[in-house]
Amino acid sequence: MTAPTINGTKFPQPVDALLPAARTLDLPNGQQLPSRNRLMREFRIGAAKADDILARLKAEHASRDRAETLRTALILRGSLLTSEADAADPAAPRLDYPEPIGPDPAPAPAPVVPEFAPVLDPTPGDPVKITPAEPGGQVMPVSHPDTPTPTAPDRAPAAPVRSAVAWPVVLLALPAFVAIWSGWVGLGGLTGFGVVHPLPGIADGFSLNTAITLPIGVETYGAYALYVWLSGRVPPRALRFAKWSAIASLLVGALGQVAYHLLVAPATGAPWWITTAVSVLPVAVLGMGAALAHLVRAHD
């Protein structure tokens, strides 16, 4: 049996030379690759060469299938994009070829040109110096030229606040101090205070009534302690002491006046409660007058 003539020769040929002839073999309907036996029979080759040729044909067939699948997918995707574009814009022309895969490139943004662009001088010059406005200038309102400018009404300058004077308070408290002085001196005389000669042998004619030490020691200290308390310019401990000592001194002064007038009241026949109320009045007036005078001077 003679070998078939392949590629113009009857000698055995390598697989690369037999592969083109294997691609052109007539195959029955439905069969995509020739069988190994047919390759051995057609080309008079052994099983090894037939298996090699068959493996290469299978690889080529698989590669063609993948390429065909990819091409079909691209065609379907292009048809889908074309349909969507037609639905979004019916006036857009239909393309006869598939569009590339991927989103459309975004259009380049148009340059933004300001509505009022300043005209620049092409020739460079000295930089413009901006002079700041002088502070404290009067701001003029902007209005229509035909509108009359309202004028501010003339206002009289505010009168200065005049503070109250303190001397009337002192003048009113002076009679109360005189009454308190006489009451303390009279009480001192009833309780053993009297006239003494403090400088015997030096000034025998100089005498002093020791009863005056009572109003000076009680009422004068009360007025000063009241001044310290209301001033508030001392440490907290001194402030508390001045407060309570001023209250105590005024109470002692009131009790002293009540005691003196109750001792001398039986001679006049006045009831004790009237005598007590009248005796306390000079001390109350003196305390309120001193406090008011201090508050008025503190305002100044």
Side-chain angles (χ1 to χ4, degrees), residues 5 8-9 35 55 63 66 85 89 95 98 114 119 132 137 144 153 162 187 230 239 243-244 274 280 289 297:
T5 301
T9 179
S35 63
S63 178
R66 287 195 299 270
D89 187 7
L95 301 177
V119 179
H144 195 271
R162 299 180 60 184
L187 182 62
L230 295 178
L239 189 67
K243 172 184 175 180
W244 294 113
I274 294 180
V280 171
R297 294 178 60 86

Side-chain angles (χ1 to χ4, degrees), residues 248-289:
S249 179
L250 293 176
L251 288 177
V252 171
L255 292 177
Q257 297 299 316
V258 171
Y260 170 71
H261 287 86
L262 287 178
L263 290 176
V264 298
T268 60
W272 66 269
W273 55 273
I274 294 180
T275 303
T276 301
V278 174
S279 302
V280 171
L281 285 178
V283 180
V285 172
L286 179 64
M288 292 185 295

Side-chain angles (χ1 to χ4, degrees), residues 141-219:
V142 180
S143 60
H144 195 271
D146 298 334
T147 303
T149 303
T151 58
D154 296 336
R155 295 183 180 179
V161 179
R162 299 180 60 184
S163 59
V165 294
W167 65 265
V169 180
V170 179
L171 184 62
L172 293 175
L174 184 60
F177 183 76
V178 173
I180 294 172
W181 182 279
S182 62
W184 275 116
V185 172
L187 182 62
L190 294 176
T191 56
F193 290 88
V195 179
V196 297
H197 298 278
L199 299 174
I202 299 177
D204 294 334
F206 178 72
S207 61
L208 179 64
N209 191 347
T210 57
I212 65 173
T213 60
L214 297 177
I216 293 176
V218 177
E219 305 299 340

Side-chain angles (χ1 to χ4, degrees), residues 107-143:
V112 179
V113 180
E115 184 176 358
F116 301 98
V119 179
L120 300 179
D121 189 2
T123 59
D126 296 336
V128 180
K129 296 182 180 179
I130 300 176
T131 304
E134 296 182 359
Q138 184 177 6
V139 180
M140 300 298 295
V142 180
S143 60

